[in-house]
Amino acid sequence: QVQLQESGPGLVKPSETLSLTCSVSGDSISNGYYWGWIRQPPGKGLEWIGNVYQTGFTSYSPSLRSRVTISIDTSNNLFSLRLTSVTAADTAFYYCARQMRGSSSPDYWGQGSLVTVSS
Amino acid sequence: QSVLTQPPSVSAAPGQKVTISCSGSSSNVGENYVSWYQHLPGAAPKLLIYDDNKRPSGIPDRFSGSKSGTSATLGITGLQTGDEADYYCGTWDGSLSPGFFVFGTGTKVTVL
């Protein structure tokens, strides 16, 4: 069974950088899937942030592209998210997920990590 | 702001059927597979349908998906109280290079 677990600070100050890591178990991160990040601000819908392939190839949401970096660590079977210059609007539950080959549909999800942006 | 439009809410009595629409464009729904997700409060979203109409192992056949042109539909038959949740469609959008994944605006299902 594939399992994903987010980790990182739950509180980030405005203008600073949000950093989260997703540890993957039950599957190799080099197994041909894409590995993505999705968020949900309180009371709002799901928003795809971006994903990374085992080669390091990335795709990002056009609205976040200028502030996002997603990287992959195949040696430790994990991938990471960095979001710079955060504001209160970046307060959200952040989920990591495995995305299927072809359709890119997220099929396995982490439980989510609440990140609050506040001074 | 999502490029995939869903109705904000749908409702029906237990045992009845509901359908949820997902309207997109030629660069997303029209040329890429659609998936559907169930999101219960406090839980991770769950994949219900992928590749327009396929169900992952363990998803009951009460859930079905279809697509025509630039619109997709999720159907839920034999509605149960446990089906009360938010539902989202999702698909790849190839309007830019590289492309990107998009979710619908979400639909809240209420069991009356």
Side-chain angles (χ1 to χ4, degrees):
Chain A
Q1 180 76 345
V2 181
Q3 292 187 314
L4 299 94
Q5 179 66 57
E6 306 89 352
S7 61
L11 181 64
V12 181
K13 290 182 168 56
S15 80
E16 296 192 344
T17 297
L18 180 159
S19 295
L20 292 172
T21 295
C22 182
S23 299
V24 180
S25 59
D27 190 14
S28 168
I29 207 166
S30 300
N31 208 14
Y33 289 89
Y34 290 81
W35 302 91
W37 289 95
I38 295 138
R39 71 179 184 178
Q40 183 180 36
K44 297 189 177 182
L46 298 174
E47 179 182 25
W48 183 78
I49 299 170
N51 66 18
V52 62
Y53 191 61
Q54 61 195 54
T55 58
F57 178 81
T58 53
S59 296
Y60 299 129
S61 165
S63 63
L64 295 170
R65 183 168 292 152
S66 63
R67 298 193 292 130
V68 174
T69 302
I70 297 176
S71 57
I72 193 165
D73 181 349
T74 55
S75 298
N76 292 299
N77 223 44
L78 57 83
F79 61 105
S80 301
L81 168 71
R82 290 183 75 249
L83 181 66
T84 62
S85 304
V86 297
T87 69
D90 295 309
T91 294
F93 281 94
Y94 285 77
Y95 298 95
C96 58
R98 189 182 79 169
Q99 295 191 247
M100 301 170 75
R101 303 180 188 97
S103 67
S104 294
S105 304
D107 57 354
Y108 287 94
W109 299 64
Q111 283 301 301
S113 178
L114 176 61
V115 179
T116 301
V117 179
S118 174
S119 56
Chain B
Q1 186 173 351
S2 176
V3 297
L4 304 181
T5 302
Q6 300 178 229
S9 63
V10 296
S11 61
Q16 297 300 303
K17 175 181 179 179
V18 295
T19 59
I20 301 171
S21 60
C22 173
S23 179
S25 68
S26 58
S27 67
N28 43 63
V29 175
E31 64 180 20
N32 293 294
Y33 286 121
V34 175
S35 49
W36 289 91
Y37 305 85
Q38 178 191 64
H39 195 191
L40 293 161
K46 178 194 292 186
L47 177 66
L48 294 177
I49 299 289
Y50 68 98
D51 290 1
D52 296 343
N53 55 22
K54 296 182 174 64
R55 282 177 286 106
S57 175
I59 300 300
D61 59 7
R62 300 189 298 107
F63 296 92
S64 63
S66 63
K67 190 175 80 173
S68 178
T70 58
S71 290
T73 301
L74 173 71
I76 310 173
T77 59
L79 203 61
Q80 302 175 359
T81 55
D83 297 332
E84 278 207 343
D86 294 321
Y87 292 81
Y88 295 87
C89 59
T91 188
W92 193 254
D93 191 305
S95 60
L96 298 174
S97 181
F100 53 98
F101 195 84
V102 289
F103 287 101
T105 50
T107 299
K108 182 173 183 57
V109 170
T110 300
V111 182
L112 301 172

